[in-house]
Amino acid sequence: MDIKQLKALVTVAEVGSVTRAAELLHLVQPAVTRQIRTLEQELGVPLFERTRQGMRPTEAGGIMVDRARRALNELERARAEVLPAPGAVTGIVTAGLLESTSDLLAEPLVSALARDHPGIELRLMTAYSGHLQQWLDDGDLDLTLLYNLDSTPSLNARPLVRERLWVAAPATAGLRADRPVPFAEAAAHRLVMPASGHALRALIDAAAARARVSMDVVVQTNSMRVQKQLVLAGHGWTVLPGVGIAEDVANGTLSAAPLCEPDVWRSIVLATPRSGRTPPAVEAVARELVRQIDMAVDQGRWPSAQQTQSPSPGE
């Protein structure tokens, strides 16, 4: 198999059409069809099935598409690293941001890198901690923010900040940052919660056990934005990290207060793989991400966050 075949495979899978893939690859349709068939003959299995919705990868095709996409990404990265402009840091970096931090960090990070390292092609992924850790383990991320994680044989985890969890309610509830709310008081209301199995939900459930209270969970969701929308619509209160509701509190759409009795904290870490060399572009993105987090805490844009003293990336 060759690079052209892998590009054809990935493009057809992404757009679901040989015709559209041919247009994007600047090839004639028979050429793309021939590349896919050649791959199928070499592997001895069908890679696509034709449906009314278009070309859909088979189980074997899905495995090949995933591996081919990673191989092509690595080739792009190698090309960028071996052909840099003199004195410039170049390369492709895929970074993960926790969903709760994306509004605070994504745009400043992109702006700073565009100004200081225009040769870096940044690819941002946002998700919950469990998904981001899986993507890092699978090699789909170069670095990511995670929480409540220690270093492991495969990952370095550098502590950055610890932040308190807050209870959030409609603005009419009048919750205030300087008046922490006991967990039992928050649990007396109907609650919109992260879905069971989510790491944040595990923190909340543990706090409920320590407070010896039960929770009236009326809705569970895997989306922080949906949590806030349901609170605004009057379906209940919710619990979120302070960073996830800072803007909502500032503009008056939600009121919020830190939880107490017990206090509930999460620790944010910067996670990177232990294996292999760290490209200069990845080191540059890691440094800038840490700098943006430090600035957000220093300027009060990350409520209840406390910086954790630790070495800088690479030290």
Side-chain angles (χ1 to χ4, degrees), residues 263-279:
D263 297 352
V264 189
W265 296 80
R266 70 171 183 172
S267 299
I268 306 293
V269 304
L270 176 64
T272 53
R274 283 189 183 275
S275 59
R277 61 179 285 272
T278 302

Side-chain angles (χ1 to χ4, degrees), residues 202-243:
L203 283 177
I204 298 168
D205 287 347
R210 293 200 303 275
R212 298 182 178 180
V213 297
S214 59
M215 297 184 293
D216 180 14
V217 179
V218 294
V219 183
Q220 300 184 48
T221 175
N222 65 350
S223 168
M224 182 183 71
R225 284 181 169 79
V226 172
Q227 279 180 256
K228 293 190 290 187
Q229 289 170 354
L230 293 175
V231 170
L232 285 171
H235 292 282
W237 291 16
T238 194
V239 176
L240 285 168
V243 68

